Amino acid sequence: MNVTFATDQSTVETTVFEPTTDSGPLPPVPRGDALGYVPVETGIDDEAVRSVGLAVDVDAQAVPDNRSRDSVVVYRYTNGGWSALPTRYDSSAGRYLATADGLSSLAVASLEPGQVRVVNTTSPPDWARQGYQTNVTATVENPGDRPAQRTLTVTVDGRPVANETVRLDPGERDEVTIGFPAGGGTVAVEGTEAGQMNVSEGNQWDNDPPSGLSAGDGPGFDLGLVALLFVALVLVGVAQRLRRLRR
């Protein structure tokens, strides 16, 4: 630990204790697997400190399996909580280096890499008209300790039909709606099946609608419905003119 003070200090009283696996009276680190805590007691305010250079030795066997050296981060306890410090591994020294802007207790943790995982999907429309856009909604989450980004692919019977890039913060959960051209088959998002969708041409839809639907139902404009709305608007206009004439 190398402390650079912002002002001249005639006397400095600070105690750095032995590393421990327990956080003691402090809360545990908010993310990651704690590898150790270093309690520090000092009466020095942050304003009196210009910077604190830290060099930390970490036993490689303490890092959880399948995690790289980049997973290790140094935390500093300040303002009632743990704050992650920019941390890098110095291969020449075999140590992790970090810099803080004050002197206080420290912790070292290994962070789980972030990932965007599809945990659920909603069923697409049972029927859609050929050539129209439809959509599917996927629930995604990032169970890791770092931000993550992933491009989700929607498939119909295994054929890619649309992509959507999603970015999640650590622990974040969100719903993503992805539009795609209607096509008959099994709809899935990154392999997570959403359901079966059928498509129909306009005339076929009107003459032989799906069970539970009447002619003209379903996505897209229906010409019969448009004509009916037009007639209704004309009748409204005629009624208004008759009222004016009666006056």
Side-chain angles (χ1 to χ4, degrees):
M1 182 181 295
N2 183 15
V3 182
T4 301
F5 294 99
T7 58
D8 292 336
Q9 299 290 322
S10 57
T11 302
V12 174
E13 293 185 5
T14 297
T15 303
V16 180
F17 295 88
E18 289 284 339
T20 176
T21 58
D22 188 88
S23 63
L26 301 179
V29 291
R31 295 202 173 277
D33 296 303
L35 305 180
Y37 295 88
V38 181
V40 176
E41 291 183 358
T42 182
I44 303 173
D45 295 331
D46 285 355
E47 291 75 12
V49 176
R50 180 170 298 162
S51 66
V52 179
L54 303 168
V56 182
D57 292 322
V58 175
D59 185 353
Q61 296 182 351
V63 179
D65 294 338
N66 302 321
R67 294 189 191 175
S68 66
R69 289 173 174 170
D70 293 338
S71 72
V72 175
V73 63
V74 178
Y75 282 92
R76 178 196 171 210
Y77 193 79
T78 178
N79 297 323
W82 291 103
S83 177
L85 304 176
T87 306
R88 67 180 180 87
Y89 182 73
D90 185 353
S91 58
S92 61
R95 291 178 170 180
Y96 291 91
L97 305 180
T99 302
D101 55 3
L103 196 57
S104 58
S105 294
L106 305 170
V108 180
S110 173
L111 303 183
E112 181 181 354
Q115 61 172 313
V116 176
R117 184 171 63 186
V118 178
V119 295
N120 189 31
T121 56
T122 60
S123 299
D126 293 335
W127 288 81
R129 291 198 176 189
Q130 185 74 39
Y132 282 88
Q133 285 283 115
T134 186
N135 59 66
V136 62
T137 299
T139 302
V140 294
E141 68 176 8
N142 177 10
D145 300 311
R146 296 184 184 272
Q149 181 173 298
R150 181 182 183 183
T151 299
L152 304 178
T153 300
V154 178
T155 59
V156 178
D157 279 349
R159 304 185 311 274
V161 293
N163 296 306
E164 183 78 16
T165 300
V166 179
R167 186 185 184 281
L168 297 177
D169 290 329
E172 184 179 4
R173 187 183 181 100
D174 197 8
E175 288 189 349
V176 181
T177 300
I178 308 173
F180 63 96
T186 301
V187 179
V189 181
E190 287 298 319
T192 300
E193 186 174 318
Q196 188 75 19
M197 187 177 66
N198 298 295
V199 296
S200 174
E201 299 292 343
N203 292 336
Q204 178 183 348
W205 186 291
D206 294 334
N207 296 331
D208 185 21
S211 176
L213 297 177
S214 60
D217 288 341
F221 290 104
D222 183 87
L223 294 178
L225 179 60
V226 173
L228 181 62
L229 291 174
F230 177 76
V231 172
L233 290 173
V234 170
L235 292 177
V236 170
V238 171
Q240 291 178 344
R241 293 185 60 186
L242 288 175
R243 291 193 189 96
R244 297 193 197 101
L245 292 174
R246 289 172 182 172
R247 292 174 184 174

Coordinates of all heavy atoms in Angstrom, one line a residue, residues 41-109:
E41 N -8.1 0.7 9.8 CA -8.6 1.8 10.7 C -7.7 3.0 10.6 O -6.5 2.9 10.7 CB -8.6 1.3 12.1 CG -9.6 0.2 12.4 CD -9.6 -0.2 13.9 OE1 -8.8 0.3 14.6 OE2 -10.5 -1.1 14.2
T42 N -8.3 4.2 10.3 CA -7.5 5.4 10.1 C -8.4 6.6 10.5 O -9.6 6.5 10.4 CB -7.0 5.5 8.7 OG1 -6.2 6.7 8.6 CG2 -8.1 5.6 7.7
G43 N -7.8 7.7 10.9 CA -8.5 8.9 11.1 C -8.2 9.9 10.0 O -8.6 11.1 10.1
I44 N -7.6 9.5 8.9 CA -7.3 10.4 7.8 C -8.5 10.5 6.9 O -9.1 9.5 6.4 CB -6.1 9.8 7.0 CG1 -4.9 9.6 7.9 CG2 -5.8 10.7 5.8 CD1 -3.8 8.9 7.2
D45 N -8.9 11.8 6.6 CA -10.0 12.0 5.7 C -9.5 11.9 4.3 O -8.4 12.0 3.9 CB -10.5 13.5 5.9 CG -11.1 13.7 7.3 OD1 -11.7 12.7 7.8 OD2 -11.1 14.8 7.8
D46 N -10.5 11.6 3.4 CA -10.2 11.4 2.0 C -9.6 12.7 1.4 O -8.8 12.6 0.5 CB -11.4 11.0 1.2 CG -11.8 9.6 1.4 OD1 -11.1 8.9 2.1 OD2 -12.9 9.2 0.9
E47 N -10.0 13.9 1.9 CA -9.5 15.1 1.4 C -8.0 15.3 1.6 O -7.3 16.0 0.8 CB -10.2 16.3 2.0 CG -11.7 16.5 1.6 CD -12.6 15.5 2.3 OE1 -12.1 14.8 3.3 OE2 -13.7 15.3 1.9
A48 N -7.5 14.6 2.6 CA -6.0 14.7 2.8 C -5.2 13.7 2.0 O -4.0 13.7 2.1 CB -5.8 14.4 4.3
V49 N -5.9 12.8 1.3 CA -5.2 11.8 0.5 C -5.3 12.1 -1.0 O -6.4 12.3 -1.5 CB -5.8 10.4 0.8 CG1 -5.2 9.3 -0.1 CG2 -5.6 10.1 2.2
R50 N -4.2 12.1 -1.7 CA -4.2 12.3 -3.2 C -4.5 11.0 -3.9 O -5.4 10.9 -4.8 CB -2.9 12.9 -3.6 CG -2.8 13.1 -5.1 CD -1.6 13.9 -5.5 NE -1.6 15.2 -4.8 CZ -0.6 16.0 -4.7 NH1 0.6 15.6 -5.1 NH2 -0.7 17.2 -4.1
S51 N -3.9 9.9 -3.5 CA -4.1 8.6 -4.1 C -3.5 7.5 -3.2 O -2.6 7.8 -2.4 CB -3.5 8.5 -5.5 OG -2.1 8.6 -5.4
V52 N -4.0 6.3 -3.4 CA -3.5 5.1 -2.7 C -3.3 4.1 -3.7 O -4.2 3.6 -4.4 CB -4.5 4.6 -1.6 CG1 -4.0 3.4 -0.9 CG2 -4.8 5.7 -0.6
G53 N -2.0 3.7 -3.9 CA -1.7 2.6 -4.8 C -1.7 1.3 -4.0 O -1.1 1.1 -3.0
L54 N -2.3 0.3 -4.6 CA -2.5 -1.0 -4.0 C -1.9 -2.1 -4.8 O -2.1 -2.1 -6.0 CB -4.0 -1.3 -3.7 CG -4.8 -0.3 -2.9 CD1 -6.3 -0.5 -3.0 CD2 -4.3 -0.3 -1.5
A55 N -1.2 -3.0 -4.2 CA -0.7 -4.2 -4.9 C -1.1 -5.4 -4.0 O -0.8 -5.5 -2.8 CB 0.9 -4.1 -5.0
V56 N -1.8 -6.3 -4.6 CA -2.5 -7.4 -3.9 C -2.0 -8.7 -4.5 O -2.0 -9.0 -5.7 CB -4.0 -7.3 -4.0 CG1 -4.7 -8.4 -3.2 CG2 -4.5 -5.9 -3.5
D57 N -1.6 -9.6 -3.6 CA -1.3 -11.0 -4.0 C -2.5 -11.9 -3.8 O -3.1 -11.8 -2.7 CB -0.1 -11.6 -3.1 CG 1.2 -10.9 -3.4 OD1 1.5 -10.6 -4.6 OD2 2.0 -10.6 -2.4
V58 N -2.8 -12.6 -4.8 CA -4.0 -13.5 -4.7 C -3.6 -14.9 -5.1 O -2.9 -15.2 -6.1 CB -5.1 -13.1 -5.7 CG1 -6.3 -14.0 -5.7 CG2 -5.6 -11.7 -5.3
D59 N -3.9 -15.9 -4.2 CA -3.6 -17.3 -4.5 C -4.5 -17.7 -5.7 O -5.7 -17.6 -5.6 CB -4.0 -18.1 -3.3 CG -3.6 -19.6 -3.5 OD1 -3.2 -20.0 -4.6 OD2 -3.7 -20.3 -2.5
A60 N -3.9 -18.2 -6.8 CA -4.6 -18.6 -8.0 C -5.6 -19.7 -7.7 O -6.7 -19.8 -8.3 CB -3.7 -19.0 -9.1
Q61 N -5.3 -20.5 -6.7 CA -6.3 -21.6 -6.4 C -7.5 -21.1 -5.6 O -8.5 -21.8 -5.5 CB -5.5 -22.6 -5.5 CG -4.4 -23.4 -6.2 CD -3.7 -24.4 -5.3 OE1 -4.0 -24.5 -4.1 NE2 -2.9 -25.2 -5.9
A62 N -7.5 -19.9 -5.2 CA -8.6 -19.3 -4.5 C -9.7 -18.8 -5.5 O -10.9 -18.6 -5.1 CB -8.2 -18.2 -3.6
V63 N -9.3 -18.6 -6.7 CA -10.2 -18.1 -7.7 C -11.1 -19.2 -8.2 O -10.6 -20.3 -8.5 CB -9.4 -17.5 -8.9 CG1 -10.4 -17.0 -10.0 CG2 -8.6 -16.3 -8.5
P64 N -12.4 -19.1 -8.2 CA -13.3 -20.2 -8.6 C -12.9 -20.7 -10.0 O -12.4 -20.0 -10.9 CB -14.7 -19.5 -8.7 CG -14.6 -18.4 -7.7 CD -13.2 -17.9 -7.8
D65 N -13.2 -22.0 -10.2 CA -12.9 -22.6 -11.5 C -13.5 -21.9 -12.7 O -14.6 -21.3 -12.5 CB -13.3 -24.1 -11.5 CG -12.5 -24.9 -10.5 OD1 -11.4 -24.5 -10.1 OD2 -13.0 -26.0 -10.0
N66 N -12.9 -22.0 -13.8 CA -13.4 -21.5 -15.1 C -13.5 -20.0 -15.1 O -14.2 -19.4 -15.9 CB -14.8 -22.1 -15.4 CG -14.8 -23.6 -15.5 OD1 -13.8 -24.2 -16.0 ND2 -15.8 -24.2 -15.0
R67 N -12.8 -19.3 -14.2 CA -12.7 -17.9 -14.2 C -11.3 -17.4 -14.5 O -10.3 -18.0 -13.9 CB -13.2 -17.3 -12.9 CG -14.7 -17.5 -12.7 CD -15.2 -16.7 -11.5 NE -16.5 -17.1 -11.1 CZ -17.2 -16.7 -10.0 NH1 -16.6 -15.8 -9.2 NH2 -18.4 -17.1 -9.7
S68 N -11.1 -16.4 -15.3 CA -9.8 -15.9 -15.7 C -9.3 -15.0 -14.6 O -10.0 -14.6 -13.6 CB -9.9 -15.2 -17.0 OG -10.6 -14.0 -16.9
R69 N -8.0 -14.5 -14.8 CA -7.5 -13.5 -13.9 C -8.2 -12.2 -13.9 O -8.2 -11.5 -12.9 CB -6.0 -13.3 -14.3 CG -5.1 -14.5 -14.0 CD -3.7 -14.2 -14.6 NE -2.7 -15.2 -14.2 CZ -1.5 -15.4 -14.7 NH1 -1.1 -14.5 -15.7 NH2 -0.7 -16.3 -14.3
D70 N -8.8 -11.9 -15.0 CA -9.6 -10.7 -15.2 C -10.8 -10.6 -14.3 O -11.5 -9.6 -14.2 CB -10.0 -10.4 -16.6 CG -8.8 -10.2 -17.5 OD1 -7.7 -9.8 -17.0 OD2 -8.9 -10.4 -18.7
S71 N -11.2 -11.8 -13.7 CA -12.4 -11.8 -12.9 C -12.1 -11.2 -11.5 O -13.1 -10.9 -10.8 CB -12.9 -13.2 -12.7 OG -12.0 -14.0 -11.8
V72 N -10.9 -11.0 -11.1 CA -10.5 -10.4 -9.8 C -10.6 -8.9 -9.8 O -10.1 -8.2 -10.7 CB -9.1 -10.9 -9.3 CG1 -8.8 -10.3 -8.0 CG2 -9.1 -12.4 -9.3
V73 N -11.3 -8.4 -8.7 CA -11.4 -6.9 -8.6 C -11.2 -6.6 -7.1 O -11.6 -7.3 -6.2 CB -12.8 -6.5 -9.1 CG1 -13.9 -7.1 -8.2 CG2 -12.9 -5.0 -9.1
V74 N -10.7 -5.4 -6.9 CA -10.5 -4.9 -5.5 C -11.6 -3.9 -5.2 O -11.9 -3.0 -6.0 CB -9.1 -4.2 -5.4 CG1 -8.9 -3.6 -4.0 CG2 -8.0 -5.2 -5.7
Y75 N -12.2 -4.0 -4.0 CA -13.2 -3.1 -3.5 C -12.6 -2.2 -2.4 O -11.7 -2.7 -1.7 CB -14.4 -3.9 -3.0 CG -15.3 -4.5 -4.0 CD1 -15.2 -5.8 -4.4 CD2 -16.4 -3.7 -4.4 CE1 -16.1 -6.3 -5.3 CE2 -17.3 -4.3 -5.3 CZ -17.1 -5.6 -5.8 OH -18.0 -6.1 -6.7
R76 N -13.2 -1.0 -2.3 CA -12.9 -0.2 -1.2 C -14.2 0.2 -0.5 O -15.2 0.5 -1.1 CB -12.2 1.1 -1.6 CG -11.9 2.1 -0.5 CD -11.5 3.4 -0.9 NE -11.5 4.4 0.2 CZ -11.8 5.7 0.1 NH1 -12.1 6.2 -1.0 NH2 -11.7 6.4 1.2
Y77 N -14.2 0.2 0.9 CA -15.4 0.5 1.6 C -15.4 2.0 1.9 O -14.5 2.6 2.5 CB -15.5 -0.2 3.0 CG -16.8 -0.1 3.6 CD1 -17.9 -0.9 3.2 CD2 -17.0 0.8 4.7 CE1 -19.1 -0.8 3.8 CE2 -18.3 0.9 5.3 CZ -19.3 0.1 4.8 OH -20.5 0.3 5.4
T78 N -16.4 2.7 1.3 CA -16.5 4.2 1.5 C -17.9 4.6 1.4 O -18.7 4.0 0.6 CB -15.7 4.9 0.4 OG1 -15.8 6.3 0.5 CG2 -16.1 4.5 -1.0
N79 N -18.3 5.6 2.1 CA -19.6 6.2 2.1 C -20.7 5.2 2.4 O -21.8 5.1 1.8 CB -19.9 6.9 0.8 CG -19.0 8.1 0.6 OD1 -18.7 8.8 1.5 ND2 -18.6 8.3 -0.7
G80 N -20.4 4.2 3.3 CA -21.4 3.2 3.7 C -21.6 2.1 2.8 O -22.6 1.3 2.9
G81 N -20.7 1.9 1.8 CA -20.8 0.8 0.9 C -19.5 0.5 0.2 O -18.5 1.2 0.3
W82 N -19.5 -0.7 -0.5 CA -18.3 -1.1 -1.2 C -18.3 -0.5 -2.6 O -19.3 -0.6 -3.3 CB -18.3 -2.6 -1.3 CG -18.0 -3.3 0.0 CD1 -19.0 -3.9 0.8 CD2 -16.8 -3.4 0.7 NE1 -18.4 -4.4 1.9 CE2 -17.0 -4.1 1.9 CE3 -15.5 -3.0 0.4 CZ2 -16.0 -4.4 2.8 CZ3 -14.5 -3.3 1.3 CH2 -14.7 -4.0 2.5
S83 N -17.2 0.0 -3.0 CA -17.0 0.6 -4.4 C -15.9 -0.2 -5.1 O -14.8 -0.3 -4.6 CB -16.7 2.1 -4.3 OG -16.5 2.6 -5.5
A84 N -16.2 -0.7 -6.3 CA -15.2 -1.4 -7.0 C -14.1 -0.5 -7.6 O -14.5 0.6 -8.1 CB -15.8 -2.2 -8.2
L85 N -12.9 -0.9 -7.5 CA -11.8 0.0 -8.0 C -11.3 -0.6 -9.3 O -11.3 -1.8 -9.5 CB -10.6 0.0 -7.0 CG -10.9 0.4 -5.6 CD1 -9.7 0.3 -4.7 CD2 -11.4 1.9 -5.6
P86 N -10.8 0.3 -10.2 CA -10.2 -0.3 -11.5 C -9.0 -1.2 -11.1 O -8.1 -0.7 -10.4 CB -9.8 1.0 -12.2 CG -10.6 2.1 -11.6 CD -10.9 1.7 -10.2
T87 N -9.1 -2.4 -11.6 CA -8.1 -3.4 -11.2 C -7.5 -4.1 -12.4 O -8.2 -4.4 -13.3 CB -8.7 -4.5 -10.3 OG1 -9.4 -3.8 -9.2 CG2 -7.7 -5.4 -9.7
R88 N -6.2 -4.3 -12.4 CA -5.5 -5.0 -13.5 C -4.5 -5.9 -12.9 O -4.0 -5.7 -11.8 CB -4.9 -4.0 -14.5 CG -3.7 -3.2 -13.9 CD -3.1 -2.3 -14.9 NE -2.0 -1.5 -14.4 CZ -0.7 -1.9 -14.5 NH1 -0.4 -3.1 -15.0 NH2 0.3 -1.2 -14.0
Y89 N -4.2 -7.0 -13.7 CA -3.2 -7.9 -13.3 C -1.9 -7.6 -13.9 O -1.8 -7.4 -15.1 CB -3.6 -9.3 -13.7 CG -2.6 -10.4 -13.3 CD1 -2.6 -10.8 -11.9 CD2 -1.8 -11.0 -14.2 CE1 -1.7 -11.8 -11.5 CE2 -0.9 -12.0 -13.8 CZ -0.8 -12.4 -12.4 OH 0.0 -13.3 -12.0
D90 N -0.8 -7.4 -13.1 CA 0.5 -7.2 -13.5 C 1.3 -8.5 -13.6 O 1.7 -9.1 -12.6 CB 1.2 -6.2 -12.6 CG 2.6 -5.8 -13.1 OD1 3.1 -6.4 -14.1 OD2 3.2 -5.0 -12.4
S91 N 1.4 -9.0 -14.8 CA 2.0 -10.4 -15.0 C 3.5 -10.4 -14.6 O 4.0 -11.4 -14.1 CB 1.9 -10.8 -16.5 OG 2.5 -9.9 -17.4
S92 N 4.2 -9.3 -14.8 CA 5.6 -9.2 -14.4 C 5.8 -9.4 -12.9 O 6.7 -10.0 -12.4 CB 6.2 -8.0 -14.9 OG 5.6 -6.8 -14.4
A93 N 4.9 -8.7 -12.1 CA 5.0 -8.8 -10.7 C 4.1 -9.9 -10.1 O 4.3 -10.3 -8.9 CB 4.6 -7.5 -10.1
G94 N 3.2 -10.5 -10.9 CA 2.3 -11.5 -10.4 C 1.4 -11.0 -9.3 O 0.9 -11.7 -8.4
R95 N 1.0 -9.7 -9.5 CA 0.1 -9.1 -8.5 C -1.0 -8.3 -9.2 O -0.9 -8.0 -10.4 CB 0.8 -8.1 -7.6 CG 1.8 -8.7 -6.6 CD 2.6 -7.7 -5.9 NE 3.3 -8.2 -4.8 CZ 4.1 -7.5 -3.9 NH1 4.1 -6.2 -4.1 NH2 4.8 -8.1 -3.0
Y96 N -2.1 -8.1 -8.4 CA -3.2 -7.2 -8.9 C -2.9 -5.8 -8.4 O -2.6 -5.6 -7.2 CB -4.5 -7.7 -8.4 CG -4.9 -9.0 -9.1 CD1 -4.6 -10.2 -8.5 CD2 -5.6 -9.1 -10.3 CE1 -4.9 -11.4 -9.1 CE2 -6.0 -10.3 -10.9 CZ -5.6 -11.4 -10.3 OH -6.0 -12.6 -10.8
L97 N -3.0 -4.8 -9.3 CA -2.8 -3.4 -9.0 C -4.1 -2.6 -9.1 O -4.9 -2.8 -10.0 CB -1.8 -2.8 -10.0 CG -0.4 -3.6 -10.1 CD1 0.5 -2.8 -11.0 CD2 0.2 -3.7 -8.7
A98 N -4.3 -1.8 -8.1 CA -5.5 -0.9 -8.1 C -5.1 0.4 -7.5 O -4.1 0.6 -6.8 CB -6.6 -1.6 -7.3
T99 N -6.0 1.4 -7.8 CA -5.7 2.8 -7.2 C -7.0 3.3 -6.6 O -8.1 3.2 -7.2 CB -5.3 3.8 -8.3 OG1 -4.1 3.3 -8.9 CG2 -5.0 5.1 -7.7
A100 N -6.9 3.8 -5.4 CA -8.0 4.4 -4.7 C -7.8 5.9 -4.4 O -6.6 6.3 -4.4 CB -8.3 3.6 -3.4
D101 N -8.9 6.6 -4.1 CA -8.7 8.0 -3.8 C -8.9 8.3 -2.3 O -9.2 9.4 -1.9 CB -9.7 8.9 -4.6 CG -11.1 8.4 -4.4 OD1 -11.4 7.5 -3.6 OD2 -12.0 9.0 -5.1
G102 N -8.8 7.3 -1.5 CA -8.8 7.4 0.0 C -8.4 6.2 0.7 O -8.1 5.1 0.0
L103 N -8.2 6.2 2.0 CA -7.7 5.1 2.8 C -8.8 4.6 3.6 O -9.4 5.3 4.5 CB -6.6 5.7 3.6 CG -5.6 4.6 4.3 CD1 -5.0 3.8 3.2 CD2 -4.6 5.4 5.1
S104 N -9.2 3.3 3.4 CA -10.2 2.6 4.2 C -10.1 1.1 3.9 O -9.2 0.7 3.2 CB -11.6 3.2 3.8 OG -11.8 3.0 2.4
S105 N -11.0 0.4 4.5 CA -11.0 -1.1 4.4 C -11.1 -1.5 3.0 O -11.8 -0.9 2.2 CB -12.1 -1.7 5.3 OG -11.9 -1.5 6.7
L106 N -10.5 -2.7 2.7 CA -10.5 -3.2 1.3 C -11.1 -4.6 1.3 O -11.1 -5.3 2.3 CB -9.0 -3.2 0.8 CG -8.3 -1.9 0.9 CD1 -6.8 -2.2 0.5 CD2 -8.9 -0.9 -0.1
A107 N -11.4 -5.1 0.1 CA -11.9 -6.4 -0.1 C -11.4 -6.8 -1.5 O -11.3 -6.0 -2.4 CB -13.4 -6.5 0.0
V108 N -11.2 -8.1 -1.7 CA -10.9 -8.7 -3.0 C -11.9 -9.8 -3.3 O -12.2 -10.6 -2.5 CB -9.4 -9.3 -3.0 CG1 -9.1 -9.9 -4.4 CG2 -8.4 -8.2 -2.6
A109 N -12.4 -9.7 -4.6 CA -13.5 -10.6 -5.0 C -13.3 -11.1 -6.4 O -12.6 -10.4 -7.2 CB -14.9 -10.0 -4.8

